Amino acid sequence: MKRFSTKAIHVGNEPNLKDGGSGDVVVPIHLSTTFARKNVYKPTAGYEYSRSGNPTRFALEKNLAALENGTHAFAYASGLAAITNTLLLLKQGDHIVSIDDVYGGTRRLFSKVFERFGLLFTYADFRDGNSFKKHIRKNTKIVWIESPTNPLLKIVDIASVAKTARTKNILTVVDNTFASPCFQKPLDLGANIVVHSLTKYIGGHSDAVGGTIIVKNKQISDQLRFLQNAAGAILSPFDSYSILRGIKTLQLRMQKHEENARKVVEFLSGHKKVKKTYYPGLPTHPGHKIAKKQMSGFGAMVSFELQGDIKTAIKFLESLRIFAIAESLGAVESLAEHPASMTHASVPKTEREKIGLSNTLIRLSVGIEDAEDLIADLNQALKNAG
Ligand SMILES: *Cc1c(COP(=O)(O)O)cnc(C)c1O
């Protein structure tokens, strides 16, 4: 059982064919908060209390570990809960070098919460190879990267960053939400820890919020198992089930997402009202070569700049009929948003301009509807935007 979809469908879902087992091909939703035992010293099937361990959550965790070629995975109530648990590995005075356009919620957690507890952060541009090295201090413990980034789809050479970090005993953490394990496997590229918002491509149906940490090291895994239980932000049995269900079609969905994204990018790139299109699959994208090397697909997040001003951008968005104007990404339905007013509104204007996040930038999460309908929708909205 080596290939991606086979693992996605079967790992964690193995039917119990033992005497008394029911043979379900789908993992039941175990709602019980506690688990009775015959022997005071020995839990019946290893389960004691549902925060510490739950069979439905365990099934999902086993599956997630397999998808990323890791050995252990932990599921949390949200992507940010997973990121919080990762930082709980550190202690006061430890230093983190983070990519400068890290996900907004992660940046807020770093600067507004963990700085109060004495963690130190430096934000760096990771596009130009290993220039982040100059930010490394004696107390640097983690290098935190995303690739592709949000919303400008910058690409980081994960293998090269991980290699440099490893020589200095620094852990490389990759937030792999945008690529999904279907298109990119950071642990195979040398990273130590992968985090995901399960809310996005992995769940894929806009009906469950969740997060995960995946590792392939026993020592880190033991620490995380302790922290998951100690801090308590676990994923519920029902959401574990929903996400496990979503995963069964992850590869199918990613293939269609990408096929649609390519068609949308081709349409946008040739449109006179579009100033610039950002997509790592474009040969003109500055990170294209690295993306091609480390990803097996370019994903379905597409950003573009319109000709005109903020009014054009708002008119465009409000003219869309199939794309919903909404935050979030990675689910079956197509979404569009205005980073300057929505996901990145908390980034100061001067900072936004510095990183290239203009007022006419639109971010699309291309869904798996019919590409022709998506393109027709974009086309009519571009006309309407004037
Ligand atoms: C959404 C997202 C998160 C946060 O996940 P939640 O499930 O919303 O808490 C973290 N990183 C990236 C890249 C995301 O897109």
Side-chain angles (χ1 to χ4, degrees), residues 77-83 102-106 146 148 150 175-178 195-200 208-211 328-329 363:
S78 70
L80 281 172
I83 291 168
V102 67
Y103 175 74
T106 306
E146 290 174 18
N150 178 25
D175 181 335
N176 201 27
T177 302
F178 267 42
V195 301
H196 278 282
S197 168
L198 298 172
T199 319
K200 316 296 170 54
V209 174
S328 196
L329 59 106
R363 187 190 79 180

Side-chain angles (χ1 to χ4, degrees), residues 260-324:
N260 282 356
R262 282 174 188 271
K263 290 180 183 164
V264 163
V265 165
E266 193 182 306
F267 165 76
L268 291 171
S269 305
H271 200 287
K272 62 180 189 306
K273 286 181 187 164
V274 175
K275 201 152 69 178
K276 187 168 179 189
T277 311
Y278 297 87
Y279 183 64
L282 278 171
T284 50
H285 186 288
H288 178 67
K289 266 211 186 105
I290 297 167
K292 213 169 154 179
K293 186 181 71 175
Q294 69 189 13
M295 305 176 81
S296 56
F298 300 107
M301 295 305 295
V302 177
S303 293
F304 64 99
E305 250 175 72
L306 284 167
Q307 304 281 4
D309 56 20
I310 187 162
K311 284 198 194 113
T312 327
I314 304 302
K315 188 82 198 283
F316 166 80
L317 283 167
E318 292 181 352
S319 304
L320 290 166
R321 289 170 197 151
I322 298 174
F323 282 84

